[in-house]
Amino acid sequence: SKVVPSLGSTFGGTEILLSGGSFQLHSPLRCVFGESEYSATSVAATAVSDTSIVCTTPPHAVGVVSIILSQNGVLFDNVKAVNFEFISPMEVGAISPIRGFSTSTTNIAVQGSGFVSRVDDEGNSLLKCRFNEDD
């Protein structure tokens, strides 16, 4: 089993894709975050194929938790638990420079806190800048 992405904000709201199991598409699915049935949080999940599901992370404290799947309130024994890491939200304090040319590449410096430098299975950085072209 695999989860992508494998980390997200403690605020929740990260859409994750779990793959590698054999899921029944017609049954209600839930992602269960946590080790114990008494302290775990479950959220609705949607099957996108018979081997992949999507769910959205709930708010959670900083740390690594296991994710397992539930169908009709029963935990799947045949699906290996995967880990998801809840991290503190990033905060951007300053960006420099604040302008650049649309016809060329401009390197920027971003200052702030909570930045986590991680790479995926292929060695690509998970830390990215996104720009809004409408502003």
Side-chain angles (χ1 to χ4, degrees), residues 17 19 98 127:
L17 176 72
S19 58
I98 60 171
L127 190 59

Side-chain angles (χ1 to χ4, degrees), residues 44-91:
T46 302
V48 293
S49 74
D50 61 348
T51 60
S52 298
I53 68 160
V54 172
C55 61
T56 302
T57 61
H60 196 280
V62 169
V64 176
V65 298
S66 293
I67 305 172
I68 53 178
L69 300 176
S70 172
Q71 178 174 294
N72 294 332
V74 179
L75 299 180
F76 281 149
D77 292 334
N78 64 336
V79 177
K80 182 181 174 190
V82 293
N83 288 334
F84 184 84
E85 183 175 3
F86 286 93
I87 59 173
S88 296
M90 292 182 274
E91 231 176 90

Side-chain angles (χ1 to χ4, degrees), residues 2 6-7 87 133:
K2 181 178 178 180
S6 60
L7 56 88
I87 59 173
E133 294 179 9

Side-chain angles (χ1 to χ4, degrees), residues 1 4 6 8 15 17 28-29 54 71 76 103 107 132:
S1 295
V4 176
S6 60
E15 185 175 271
L17 176 72
L29 297 170
V54 172
Q71 178 174 294
F76 281 149
T103 57
N107 289 325
N132 185 349

